[in-house]
Structure formats: structure tokens, C-alpha cells
Amino acid sequence: MGRIFHLEVGADHLATLTFDTPGRKANIFSREALEELQAVVGELASRDDIGCLVLVSMKPGMFIAGADVDLIAEITDRAEAEAGVRFGQALFSAWEALPFPTVAAVSGTCVGGGTEIALASTYLVVSDRPELRIGLPEVRLGILPAWGGCTRLPRRIGALAALDIILAGKSILGRQAATLGLADAIFPEAGFFHHVRDFSRSRIGRKPRRRGRGFKAFLLEGNPLGRWFVFDQARKRTLTQTKGRYPAPIAALDAVRAGLDRGKRAGFEAEARAAGELATGAIAKNLIHVFRLMESAKKDGDGDAPAEIRRPAVLGAGTMGGGIAQLVADKMELPVRVKDVQSEALATALRHAKSLFDKQLRRRRIRSPELRRKMNLIQPTLEDAGLEASDFVVEAIVENLAVKQRVFEDLARRLPQSTILASNTSSLSIDDIGKLATHRQRIVGMHFFNPVDKMPLVEVIAGTVTSKETTRAVATFARRLGKTPVMVRDGPGFLVNRLLAFYSAEAMWLLDEGHRVEAIDRAMLDWGMPMGPLRLADEVGLDVSAKVGHILRAAFPDRLFFPEWLDRLAGEPKRLGLKSGLGVYRYQDRRESSVDPAIYAILGLRPDSSLAAPDAERMILPMVNEAARCLEDGIVDGPGPLDLAMVLGIGFPPFRGGLCRWADAAGLPAIVAKLEALAGDVSPRLAPSAALRQMAERGGFYRGRP
Ligand code: NAI
């Protein structure tokens, strides 16, 4: 048959349609695949020797990964986008109308268009493979499930459960799919296709029967008032969560509603219209840009696979070291030695790890035996003995250059040359840390962010002599820990903290000028940041913020300045920010209650109520300015990884696509002009850098780049 789809019809009238895109790890609905499937469906409709058809994928662990994101990224014409959607809808409706039952045999990840063809099949069966996920993540890309997903899913599992999946762009486990009634059956992974064939044979000549949706769903959705309630609640929740910044979930909600209130055809119509508008809009383009950056960061790069880390150890069991050890035990299920000089630190680290596993237990992600097994993998020690057997050591001890230098000198002497020695330092130079050590090609930075279990980014830092094998092995290790690595070069603050310093400094200057804490943080929340800059300083720790501030101030004396009260901010031993319950804000049970009014007197400031709200761009533009310098200094390879690091490291709003992408959209000449004005009106520290001017002349950060 075709290149991608292969049909086989057995003597027992059971047909198998295999989806197998040559040369790719995943099946996607590319233009070619859609056209081929259209021809296949045309042929199938006229066959009278088929009793039941099974749709299978030949890709291990992967059923269908959905539509081709590149197609969506390219499209700029609304009518064309709508036409593309209608083509898919018609194709899946033709699939649904085939004159025999169809069975989607979902043996691996199934998302987006994959889930939509499965929904258009008569039956959907899943394997019990633990990593299997099935879902509709479209809204995460700023679009909506428009090949019938918004219309068919609520018909199968009820509006409440469907909205829960569609509006959050969720993917669920096979077991959950079976409980919700999304899957008609769940079979063991071993012998899956054997079970599928038995299931399918027994469906030949039978009319499909759907399960009821349960009493609760009936009560809620069975009458107009109940349905109104479901949609009203979902809309309010979505608007709160998205702060009105992400239009896709609301458009999806309207499409689901149209389909339920006015029938399938109206649902498809609403899907197509919304998809045309969303897919050609700036927000979807930005979200898809971030998605592609994430995808490329997942790849290993060319060449041989890097050495695999199998015997990791952690030095220092504090906030960061304890978190890293828990992650190794959890994600890699490897024994991990954790060494500290204080037994109390080890005990705290174990308690912290236990509390994280307990949370997973409560959420039913793991069971008790698994919890015990994973806890036992963490091997606390006060001794150096045993470290020799490690092939990787990550250091997370106190941020003090002399101490770190001695530790690396000692590790390098005692451990084999091949053992990778990584530092989680947040501000010290990797070259400096390794200065006294031998075989420095294996010394590298591996900068996790706090809290380790939640923050998705790891900066992998190459010193001047760090080998490529070392950075690649560490990047692969980070991926296996579930993190996204971004490769950066050694330099003060590396990438994220360097840019962040310019942002935080400007927030402090605004405070110094008389703006209130709430107004400054509000300006950035309204701009789309997950947290205001002063609240963030509390989160990081006022002591840590001030320390890093000083280090970076010394590194960039020509342009990074802080108000003289910086040290007073961290001067009181009990005012350390979130961790001590008091900082710029007051906290109760680690929750912020209010700004501490005493902060103004401590800093010697008097808020000026006559000031207009602070301009968010005043805090963003210094980062843009410094980003140009980071690129010029070769800290990071291009605006793409820089943008990814900012989105994952500080939560730069994904709907803006990243710092450089936002700046390009705003126009670099306009930004240069605004910085010039600020340099005149406010302070010369805000003057546009030569690097930024050059970038503006070149036509933008991304000019000539993907
Ligand atoms: P922490 O103070 O919580 O923990 C440091 C631990 O190292 C302490 O338990 C201490 O007893 C132990 N230690 C000191 N000398 C040691 C030695 N020679 N051998 C073994 N253990 C030793 O510090 P935290 O916050 O975990 O920071 C550790 C490192 O991670 C620092 O370099 C810091 O800059 C960096 N970092 C910190 C972040 C944060 O937000 N806390 C974020 C990213 C990096």
C-alpha cells in the first residue's frame, strides 16, 4: 500500500492497519500521512471482506504523537488554517463512518490528533504500560483539539471529565483512561496485541455498546441547569488560572459547549473557526516556539552517545544536595551516596526526601514498597570512603571559593580521571573552582534551581577546558533526572542569574524611588511573570540574593548597581525571606500574608503615593540589554537556548515566547530608543549596550536563525 500505512486483512475478517512513519521515532500526522490515510479510508469504505479493523502503531512506546507542529508553526493564513482543520475533521468523520467497527490499539503515548482518531474509532483499548499517556495537550500550544476532540471527548466521558483534560491540556495514564471510560478496555503489556485481536474478533458483527457515565455526571450534566453550572465553574477556574493571557482554553470550552448544546456539526464548526484564529495568532506561535526549543533541548546532539552515569554521588546534603539526591533515587532509581560533614544535615535531607515521596504516595503516583525501595537508595554518610567508586560527583556545599577549590583538588586526586566532577555553584566560576585540581577536562558546572524537585532547568556549564564528552554526559544525566539542560559557558552568574540580577536590581531601584513593594510586584505579575521580583528575592533568600548581588556587582562594575541599602535588606538574622518566615513579605506556614510595612523604615525609604504604577518594561529592558552582551560573550549559543533558559529558569511568560523573541516582536530599535531615554531620565546604567545596538542593526536576535 502506501509508505506510511499498511493494511492486512486476515481470513477471519480481522483487518490491521499499521501506522509506521519511515525514519521517525514517532508517528505524526504530517501532510503526507493525512493524504495517505485519506486514500486508505476511501479504499476501506468500499471493502466488504472486513469484519473489524484494528489501528496499531509500530513505534515502541508511542502510538501517535499528533499533528505536525511544523505545519502549525508555519501557517499564517486563517482561511488556510481553517481548511486544514476541516480536512482532518472530514477524514476522521469518514473513519468514524466506516461500515465495520474500528479499534484503536493504544500501546504507547497517544496525544493530540492521535487521541482524536482514537476517539473517532468505535473502540479504544490501552495497554497497562506504566509510562503510557493519553491526552489532548493542544491548549499548551495555544490551539485546541480541533479534529473533533472537543466534540467527541465529552460524548465519551462526560463534560466534566472532558473539560478537565482539554482545558488543562492534560495527558492521563492508561489506567485512568479505563476508569473514566475513555478506554473501553485495558490489557497487559505482555501479549497486548494478542488480547487486542481477541477483543476485536469478538466485536465482529456486534453493535457497540457504550457504558453509562455514572450518577454524578448524570446529575450535573443531564439537565440544562447542571450543565450551565459545570461550564460556568470551568470558565471561572480557567480565567483565574490563565489570568486571561491564554485564549485557547476558553475557545476550547466554547467549542465543547457548542458541540453539546447544538450538536456535533456545530461543535466541529466551532472547533474549526477557533483553530483558524488561534493557530495564526501570536500566542500560539510563541508557545510553539517554546515547545520546539524544549524538543531540541531533549535531543542528545550528533555523534556517539555520551558515557552513561551509573554511580552518582552528592557532596553536601543541604537544600540543594538533598534535593538532587532525592531526584536521583526517584527518577533514575540508582543508589546515591550523599556526603555531608554534619549528621543533622543528612537527617534533614532524608526527612525532606521522605516528605516528597510521601506526597507522591498521597497522590497515588507510587505505592509503599516503591517508596521504601527509593528511600533505601539514598545512602547518607559522613565518610569520604566509598566515593572512589563513583563515576560522577556533584558538589553542593557552601558557596565559598576557597572551600570548593580544596574539595575539588582533593576529589581530583582521589577519584579516577574518568570521574566527572560537577559543581552546583550558583555564582562562582567553574574555571576558578577547578584551579587546583588535576584533569580539569572532567570538571563542569551543573546548576540546578531551587526547589530542585520543581524547577525544570539545569544549566550545564563548560569551563575553558571542560571536554565536550563531559558536558554531554552531564546533559544526558540531567535529562534522565527529568530536567531540561541548557548548555552555557563559564562566566559570572552564568546565564539565568546574570540576567536576573539586572532585573532584580532595577526592581530595587524602583523601590528606592518611592514605589511600593506591591506596585512593583503587581506590575510584573500583570506582565505575565509568575512572581514579582521582590517576592522572588524572598523566595531565593534575602541573604543569598544579597550575596549573589555583590558577586555580580563586582563582575559587572560598569553597569550593575544596587541601592546602598542592599545589605540592610539582608542585615537582620531573622529576616531571610520565605525560609525564616519574614522578608520583604511576611509569611505564615510558608504562605505570603502581606508586605511587612516595617521594610520601608529599615531601608530608610518613604513610599510616594503620588507615583504612577511602575512600568514593567523598566525591569525587562535591562535583561534584554544584558542578553545581547551574553550572546556577544558566547555565554549561550543563540537566542533560542537563552529564551528556553529564561522560560524554565525564572518563568518568563511562555505566551511571550522568551526574552529575545519578545524583544524582537517589540522591535529592537524601539527598545534601544527607550533605553536611551531611560539612560537620560533615570540613570546611565540603563544605556543600551553596543551589543544590543549591533543586534538591532542586524535586524533582531533571531534574524537569520530558527
Ligand atoms: P546549604 O547551606 O543548605 O547546604 C550546604 C551543605 O554542605 C551543608 O549541609 C553543609 O554541612 C555541607 N558541607 C559544607 N562543607 C562540606 C564538605 N566539605 N563536604 C560535605 N558537605 C559539606 O546550601 P545550599 O543552599 O544547598 O547550596 C549549596 C550550593 O548550591 C551552593 O554552592 C549554592 O550556591 C548552590 N545553589 C544554591 C541554590 C539555592 O537556592 N539555595 C540554588 C542553586 C545553587
Side-chain angles (χ1 to χ4, degrees):
M1 203 178 236
R3 222 170 68 87
I4 301 172
F5 289 93
H6 308 272
L7 179 70
E8 262 180 51
V9 185
D12 55 0
H13 304 293
L14 186 62
T16 308
L17 183 66
T18 308
F19 191 169
D20 191 7
T21 315
R24 291 192 74 142
K25 279 197 193 144
N27 285 318
I28 56 164
F29 281 120
S30 60
R31 189 165 296 172
E32 187 191 353
L34 286 167
E35 280 166 7
E36 209 181 297
L37 184 61
Q38 187 188 35
V40 172
V41 173
E43 190 205 316
L44 286 169
S46 64
R47 296 216 21 181
D48 55 11
D49 56 340
I50 297 176
C52 181
L53 173 87
V54 187
L55 175 65
V56 301
S57 152
M58 273 296 118
K59 307 293 181 195
M62 170 62 73
F63 181 64
I64 302 170
D68 186 347
V69 172
D70 292 346
L71 286 181
I72 309 169
E74 282 158 18
I75 211 146
T76 49
D77 182 77
R78 206 159 138 176
E80 199 187 323
E82 249 186 78
V85 169
R86 289 184 205 278
F87 176 86
Q89 289 180 342
L91 177 57
F92 288 4
S93 290
W95 173 265
E96 189 175 41
L98 284 172
F100 41 77
T102 50
V103 179
V106 178
S107 53
T109 299
C110 170
V111 286
T115 303
E116 291 178 299
I117 193 169
L119 285 168
S121 305
T122 323
Y123 300 101
L124 193 171
V125 300
V126 293
S127 99
D128 68 357
R129 179 190 275 266
E131 65 278 13
L132 183 147
R133 296 285 183 282
I134 178 162
L136 292 169
E138 283 85 344
V139 296
R140 291 175 186 255
L141 297 183
I143 51 178
L144 80 170
W147 285 344
C150 288
T151 308
R152 289 196 179 95
L153 186 64
R155 286 180 157 65
R156 203 177 264 253
I157 63 172
L160 199 62
L163 290 174
D164 186 42
I165 291 177
I166 294 172
L167 302 190
K170 244 193 215 170
S171 291
I172 58 174
L173 301 170
R175 159 161 66 73
Q176 292 169 312
T179 313
L180 282 177
L182 170 57
D184 297 283
I186 179 162
F187 298 126
E189 172 68 9
F192 176 66
F193 289 107
H194 181 75
H195 292 288
V196 170
R197 270 192 293 276
D198 282 351
F199 175 91
S200 307
R201 261 189 224 107
S202 73
R203 260 54 191 180
I204 294 178
R206 264 175 51 185
K207 270 192 166 233
R209 245 204 346 250
R210 288 256 152 263
R211 275 198 270 166
R213 280 191 246 123
F215 189 58
K216 189 172 150 205
F218 168 75
L219 271 187
L220 269 174
E221 301 162 20
N223 64 76
L225 190 64
R227 195 181 280 175
W228 173 84
F229 179 76
V230 167
F231 279 92
D232 187 57
Q233 291 296 306
R235 181 180 298 271
K236 283 188 184 138
R237 211 171 33 247
T238 306
L239 283 174
T240 312
Q241 279 162 359
T242 60
K243 302 191 176 84
R245 293 291 192 182
Y246 296 84
I250 292 294
L253 183 122
D254 290 340
V256 170
R257 175 121 213 208
L260 284 179
D261 286 355
R262 294 187 277 120
K264 257 178 159 176
R265 194 188 289 260
F268 292 154
E269 186 58 32
E271 286 179 5
R273 262 187 284 112
E277 188 173 336
L278 291 170
T280 50
I283 292 176
K285 301 294 184 215
N286 285 340
L287 291 173
I288 289 170
H289 174 68
V290 174
F291 171 79
R292 288 160 126 190
L293 292 174
M294 300 264 303
E295 289 297 294
S296 77
K298 276 187 196 157
K299 296 195 185 112
D300 244 350
D302 300 332
D304 299 338
E308 195 179 325
I309 291 167
R310 291 204 190 88
R311 296 180 304 280
V314 182
L315 216 57
T319 312
M320 300 304 287
I324 298 168
Q326 188 271 342
L327 202 61
V328 173
D330 187 20
K331 302 285 181 187
M332 298 185 65
E333 306 205 19
L334 286 176
V336 53
R337 255 186 132 66
V338 198
K339 195 225 149 171
D340 204 290
V341 288
Q342 296 178 50
S343 52
E344 188 41 47
L346 292 168
T348 309
L350 286 176
R351 268 199 307 277
H352 176 65
K354 174 81 173 23
S355 74
L356 292 176
F357 286 129
D358 279 341
K359 206 190 275 174
Q360 294 186 17
L361 193 70
R362 280 199 301 279
R363 295 186 178 164
R364 298 190 188 192
R365 298 237 175 93
I366 53 169
R367 304 215 167 115
S368 297
E370 200 179 344
L371 181 152
R372 280 195 295 278
R373 189 162 46 78
K374 287 186 171 178
M375 274 306 291
N376 284 337
L377 292 170
I378 306 176
Q379 302 170 353
T381 176
L382 292 167
E383 311 291 329
D384 279 338
L387 280 186
E388 286 80 359
S390 309
D391 56 6
F392 171 88
V393 179
V394 56
E395 164 276 317
I397 65 171
V398 51
E399 186 79 340
N400 175 308
L401 181 59
V403 176
K404 286 199 202 276
Q405 280 178 333
R406 276 200 306 281
V407 165
F408 273 75
E409 180 188 16
D410 178 58
L411 287 173
R413 188 162 4 89
R414 288 192 300 120
L415 271 52
Q417 286 184 35
S418 57
T419 301
I420 294 175
L421 304 178
S423 174
N424 180 49
T425 177
S426 42
S427 59
L428 299 169
S429 148
I430 299 302
D431 282 346
D432 289 348
I433 289 176
K435 208 161 223 158
L436 308 177
T438 53
H439 308 298
R440 292 172 53 191
Q441 74 287 347
R442 39 77 180 264
I443 294 180
V444 63
M446 187 177 193
H447 183 211
F448 288 84
F449 289 73
N450 187 13
V452 177
D453 62 308
K454 293 215 179 81
M455 295 296 289
L457 179 70
V458 166
E459 286 180 319
V460 177
I461 305 134
T464 334
V465 293
T466 310
S467 70
K468 220 175 166 91
E469 293 80 58
T470 303
T471 50
R472 286 187 61 206
V474 172
T476 304
F477 182 58
R479 287 185 201 103
R480 289 181 61 203
L481 293 174
K483 303 295 178 197
T484 303
V486 170
M487 303 291 201
V488 301
R489 261 171 291 277
D490 202 9
F494 314 123
L495 176 65
V496 172
N497 283 346
R498 172 164 164 185
L499 296 178
L500 197 58
F502 286 84
Y503 169 67
S504 310
E506 213 46 41
M508 291 187 201
W509 283 114
L510 284 164
L511 191 61
D512 192 71
E513 285 169 24
H515 288 280
R516 299 193 73 92
V517 172
E518 295 91 333
I520 296 167
D521 279 354
R522 167 65 37 208
M524 291 326 303
L525 286 171
D526 288 347
W527 203 77
M529 288 289 194
M531 188 179 274
L534 299 169
R535 176 67 184 75
L536 181 63
D538 269 0
E539 189 84 12
V540 171
L542 291 181
D543 51 340
V544 178
S545 297
K547 192 166 171 181
V548 175
H550 279 296
I551 293 173
L552 294 181
R553 157 96 189 95
F556 307 113
D558 59 322
R559 56 186 189 268
L560 183 63
F561 300 92
F562 290 94
E564 46 77 32
W565 46 254
L566 175 67
D567 290 323
R568 254 184 283 159
L569 193 62
E572 295 176 40
K574 289 209 176 114
R575 193 182 289 276
L576 300 178
L578 175 64
K579 60 189 166 190
S580 70
L582 183 66
V584 177
Y585 288 81
R586 292 173 178 155
Y587 299 87
Q588 233 162 15
D589 298 331
R590 293 183 65 83
R591 271 177 202 218
E592 144 203 341
S593 61
S594 62
V595 170
D596 181 11
I599 196 80
Y600 299 105
I602 292 169
L603 303 181
L605 303 175
R606 197 172 305 149
D608 178 353
S609 50
S610 70
L611 290 176
D615 173 14
E617 287 188 9
R618 188 90 183 247
M619 292 171 265
I620 296 294
L621 297 194
M623 286 201 286
V624 174
N625 207 6
E626 196 60 22
R629 291 183 177 114
C630 286
L631 289 170
E632 186 181 47
D633 292 351
I635 293 295
V636 63
D637 267 343
L642 188 151
D643 280 351
L644 183 62
M646 293 306 278
V647 169
L648 300 181
I650 68 161
F652 189 91
F655 69 87
R656 296 192 188 274
L659 183 68
C660 298
R661 192 170 159 101
W662 171 80
D664 278 358
L668 290 196
I671 288 180
V672 167
K674 186 158 177 183
L675 282 167
E676 275 168 351
L678 285 168
D681 297 345
V682 180
S683 157
R685 69 174 179 271
L686 291 161
S689 59
L692 186 67
R693 288 182 194 281
Q694 264 172 20
M695 208 57 93
E697 275 159 30
R698 246 192 46 189
F701 285 104
Y702 277 96
R703 181 68 199 264
R705 294 177 194 259

